[in-house]
Amino acid sequence: MRTRYNAGITALGGYVPDHILTNHALEEMVDTNSEWIVSRTGIKERHIAIDKNIATSDLAVIAVERLLANAGLDKAAVECVIVATSTPDYIMVSTASVVCEKAGLTNAWGVDSNAACSGFLYALTLGASLIESGRYTNVIVIGADKNSAIINYEDRNTCILFGDGAGAVLLEQTTEDFGLIDNVFRTDGSGKEQLIVQAGGSKNPSSMETVTNKQNYISQNGRVVFKAAIEGMTQTCKEVFRRNDLVADDINWLVPHQANLRIIQSVGDILDIPIERVKINIDRYGNTTAATIPLCLWDYKDDFKVGDKVMLTAFGAGFSWGASYLVWGKLRGQ
Ligand code: UT7
C-alpha cells in the first residue's frame, strides 16, 4: 500500500519592520482619531518599512532567516518556497525568486501565489499538497506584504488599517497523524470591485492618469467587505467542522486573519469559540494581508501543544476566503 504522508509545520519565523506608525501619528495625517480606530478596528499601531529600499522580499527573507535559525535546518535542504503576497517586488520576476536568491536557498524552486488576505492559507495548502504527494519533503510557505507601498496615506478609509510584515512556516513530511488535515476554500470574482488596486496590472497599466487618480492604491468598500468576511469565514469553518466531525469544543485555537477585531470577535461568537481560544495580534500589527496568519502562529507558537486542533480562517480581496484545519505537531528543536 502507498505510504500516506502528512505535511506538518515544524518551524516558524516572523518579522515586522522596526518603525511603528501609531494611531496618534495617523491623526496628524488624516481626519481620524485614535479612539475611533481602536473602537472600530482594535488596531493600536502597525509597523511600516519607511526605508524606501525595503521591498516585500526583504521582509520575507528576515522571516525565513529566523525560521532557518529556529529549525537548525541546512539551507540546501529547502526544496520549494511559496510566497503569498499581493505586493510583489516586481510585476515580472516572482518575489519567491528574489527570496531564494537573497536567502541563499539555491536548491529550491520558488513561486508566488496571490490571493490577498487568503494568500497564506491557499499557499499552505499548495505546499502541503507537494509534500502529501510524496515528491517533496520540505517546503517553506511565506506570507509577506509591504502594504505601505500601495496605501494612500490621505485616505482614512484604508491607511489606518494596514501594516507591513512577513511570516514563514516550514512544512515537513511526516507519517504521523499531525499537520494540515483539511480545508474549504472559495473564490468569488463578483466581489472584486469591493477591495482592489485598480491600476498597475495588465487591465489598467500604470500611467500618469492612474497615478493622478490614485488608482495604484488600495480602495475598499469597508462595510460590504466587513459583512462578507464574517459570513465567509464562519461558513467555511462550519463546513470544515462538518467534514471532520468537529464541534467548537474540540478546537483548541482559532487563528483568524487579522483585519478587524470586531470581525474576529463575531467569527468567534458565531462559531462558539471563546475569545480566550482565539489568537489576536491586530492591536500591534494592523492588517498585514498575507502575513497575518503566519505572524500570529509565530507570535503564539509557545502556546500551541502537540495534538492541539487549530482552525485557520481568512477572507480577502477577490473575494477569496476559506478555512483550514490542522493538528499541531512537534516543532524542530522541541
Ligand atoms: O483584509 C481584507 C478584508 N478587509 C476587511 O475585512 C475590512 C472590513 N471592513 C472594516 O474593517 C470596516 O468596515 C472599516 C474599519 C473599514 C470601517 O469601519 P465601519 O464601522 O464599517 O465604518 P463605516 O465605514 O461604516 O463608517 C462609519 C463612520 C462614517 O461616518 P458617518 O458616515 O457615519 O458620518 C465614516 O465616514 O466612520 C467614519 N470613518 C472614520 N472616522 C474616523 C471612516 N473611517 C474613519 C476613520 N476615522 N479612519
Side-chain angles (χ1 to χ4, degrees), residues 32-300:
T32 191
N33 61 81
S34 183
E35 201 264 320
W36 189 96
I37 299 173
V38 173
S39 65
R40 305 307 289 168
T41 73
I43 302 168
K44 294 182 181 146
E45 57 189 36
R46 66 290 291 139
H47 292 245
I48 301 289
I50 44 170
D51 179 346
K52 294 250 180 303
N53 295 315
I54 299 295
T56 295
S57 64
D58 297 298
L59 311 178
V61 166
I62 298 176
V64 166
E65 285 169 350
R66 290 180 175 177
L67 176 155
L68 290 170
N70 287 329
L73 185 72
D74 184 356
K75 287 179 182 183
V78 179
E79 297 165 312
C80 175
V81 173
I82 307 177
V83 179
T85 185
S86 31
T87 52
D89 288 22
Y90 307 104
I91 287 275
M92 185 192 278
V93 172
S94 73
T95 303
S97 290
V98 184
V99 170
C100 287
E101 187 224 344
K102 287 184 181 165
L105 303 173
T106 47
N107 285 340
W109 59 276
V111 64
D112 288 3
S113 120
N114 178 353
C117 298
S118 307
F120 178 78
L121 276 200
Y122 289 8
L124 192 67
T125 287
L126 296 174
S129 303
L130 293 174
I131 287 173
E132 289 157 6
S133 76
R135 278 188 287 163
Y136 291 84
T137 50
N138 61 59
V139 173
I140 290 181
V141 179
I142 303 166
D145 272 299
K146 184 191 168 191
N147 286 313
S148 58
I150 54 167
I151 288 295
N152 174 5
Y153 284 98
E154 294 174 353
D155 176 11
R156 71 174 183 172
N157 291 308
T158 51
C159 73
I160 57 146
L161 299 171
F162 293 92
D164 301 340
V169 302
L170 175 66
L171 289 174
E172 281 194 87
Q173 196 180 72
T174 177
T175 49
E176 292 183 54
D177 281 336
F178 64 80
L180 200 63
I181 306 293
D182 194 20
N183 42 251
V184 170
F185 293 157
R186 301 273 184 268
T187 52
D188 179 2
S190 69
K192 64 183 179 302
E193 296 298 328
Q194 308 298 336
L195 176 51
I196 190 167
V197 177
Q198 291 282 0
S202 60
K203 163 100 174 145
N204 195 7
S206 296
S207 64
M208 288 297 281
E209 194 187 345
T210 66
V211 172
T212 305
N213 294 337
K214 306 201 186 301
Q215 290 173 302
N216 293 75
Y217 294 125
I218 293 180
S219 63
Q220 174 173 234
N221 184 345
R223 284 185 209 188
V224 171
V225 178
F226 188 96
K227 279 196 199 140
I230 295 171
E231 171 80 9
M233 287 157 85
T234 51
Q235 287 306 323
T236 48
C237 282
K238 284 181 181 174
E239 182 68 11
V240 171
F241 283 5
R242 195 189 56 75
R243 282 161 50 131
N244 294 276
D245 290 324
L246 294 165
V247 293
D249 275 353
D250 295 326
I251 302 301
N252 299 91
W253 306 106
L254 176 67
V255 184
H257 170 53
Q258 312 278 309
N260 185 314
L261 183 60
R262 291 184 294 136
I263 294 177
I264 295 169
Q265 287 166 334
S266 296
V267 171
D269 284 350
I270 294 168
L271 294 177
D272 230 357
I273 298 177
I275 203 75
E276 303 75 51
R277 304 210 311 264
V278 181
K279 292 304 188 193
I280 299 168
N281 60 8
I282 189 171
D283 49 324
R284 287 173 283 142
Y285 304 142
N287 182 349
T288 55
T289 308
T292 62
I293 290 177
L295 270 176
C296 222
L297 293 175
W298 153 256
D299 266 359
Y300 293 107

